[in-house]
Amino acid sequence: MSNDFRDDAIVLHVKNWQTADKYAVCFTREHGKIRFIVYGGRYPKNVAGRLLQPFAQLSLEVIAGQRIDKLKSCELLEMPQAFDFKQMAYAAVVTELTAIFTEDHQPQPEVYELLEETLKLLRERNPRIVVLSFALKLLELVGLLPQVEACGVCGCIIGEEDAWFSPLQGSAICKDCHNPSGEEKFSLGTSNLFKHLKNLDFQNPAPFSIKGGDLMELEAILYKFIMFQTDKPLNSISFLSQMGM
Ligand SMILES: [Zn+2]
């Protein structure tokens, strides 16, 4: 029985492997996240090695190996449009989050579609907002979306009022249950922004206005929550903060 397959893929991560090869992690339309070796991928004349760049959308043919899969062939699906520096820094958050929060060979076509739409939208809209919205949508698709409608301690419904957020519990906390250690402010504006960005229509994003304070508050709680999930800071998010973006 052969497990070879052909599929559309978005490149999440590529690195050099031994002297002449490349190692790539991709997210595919039908086969979820995959990783494979591209033998000879570092030679300048190797077409696959040249096409396998982060964020590229490719059609791949993969041969299942005993220990690791290998790439048989690849073709460009769409000519990649160049990202500017800022868009690229945000796109790196998108690919790193996808790599961290998905499992190998677990088909999640909706994650593929989200990736595809996000990388397009990053070129057209404010990348900071797009990435925040992407992060919420991805967390929802992988079943890790923080709970913000009800208090994580007493379960009461948090209405139209300011509350708190516990990155450790991944939940909003009501005023009565608030414990000053380790909980972040979660104002009504931030809560509304959370819901708005989670449901934002990427095909047809309607214009909306955002308060800078709400945006910063939402980024702070979400990135802290992600850090609790992953146990370490993401390289791409550390890079953004070093660059003051
Ligand atoms: Zn409570």
Side-chain angles (χ1 to χ4, degrees), residues 151 154 174 177:
C151 170
C154 73
C174 77
C177 299

Side-chain angles (χ1 to χ4, degrees), residues 78-134:
E78 234 176 273
M79 276 307 277
Q81 291 167 42
F83 281 127
D84 67 23
F85 178 72
K86 191 174 173 185
Q87 290 164 342
M88 193 177 295
Y90 278 98
V93 179
V94 169
T95 48
E96 192 176 6
L97 284 176
T98 306
I100 285 174
F101 285 117
T102 58
E103 305 287 337
D104 286 10
H105 295 288
Q106 239 184 56
Q108 274 179 301
E110 61 285 1
V111 171
Y112 183 85
E113 277 166 34
L114 175 63
L115 264 177
E116 199 176 23
E117 288 173 358
T118 302
L119 293 175
K120 268 197 194 108
L121 206 60
L122 268 178
R123 300 186 177 93
E124 295 160 15
R125 300 295 173 115
N126 182 338
R128 189 172 168 190
I129 312 287
V130 173
V131 164
L132 206 50
S133 181
F134 164 82

Side-chain angles (χ1 to χ4, degrees), residues 138-176:
L138 179 73
L139 289 172
E140 187 172 41
L141 288 174
V142 300
L144 288 172
L145 187 71
Q147 140 83 5
V148 296
E149 312 275 351
C151 170
V153 177
C154 73
C156 76
I157 299 298
I158 293 174
E160 299 285 302
E161 57 181 31
D162 292 343
W164 300 85
F165 184 85
S166 161
L168 182 61
Q169 294 195 40
S171 170
I173 305 289
C174 77
K175 270 189 279 194
D176 295 337

Side-chain angles (χ1 to χ4, degrees), residues 185-239:
K185 251 186 80 190
F186 190 56
S187 63
L188 179 59
T190 305
S191 171
N192 288 334
L193 181 61
F194 179 106
K195 291 166 197 161
H196 182 81
L197 291 181
K198 180 177 77 68
N199 297 323
L200 188 67
D201 181 359
F202 273 13
Q203 299 277 7
N204 202 358
F208 56 96
S209 63
I210 288 182
K211 282 199 197 126
D214 294 343
L215 177 61
M216 281 162 64
E217 208 174 276
L218 182 56
E219 276 178 341
I221 65 155
L222 202 61
Y223 291 159
K224 273 196 187 145
F225 168 73
I226 287 169
M227 212 167 87
F228 272 109
Q229 294 292 321
T230 58
D231 280 333
K232 63 180 170 69
L234 267 66
N235 293 330
S236 54
I237 292 177
S238 306
F239 181 74

Side-chain angles (χ1 to χ4, degrees), residues 5 30-35 62 69 103-108:
F5 63 89
E30 305 289 342
H31 297 80
K33 187 175 66 184
I34 59 166
R35 46 189 89 229
V62 176
D69 297 349
E103 305 287 337
D104 286 10
H105 295 288
Q106 239 184 56
Q108 274 179 301

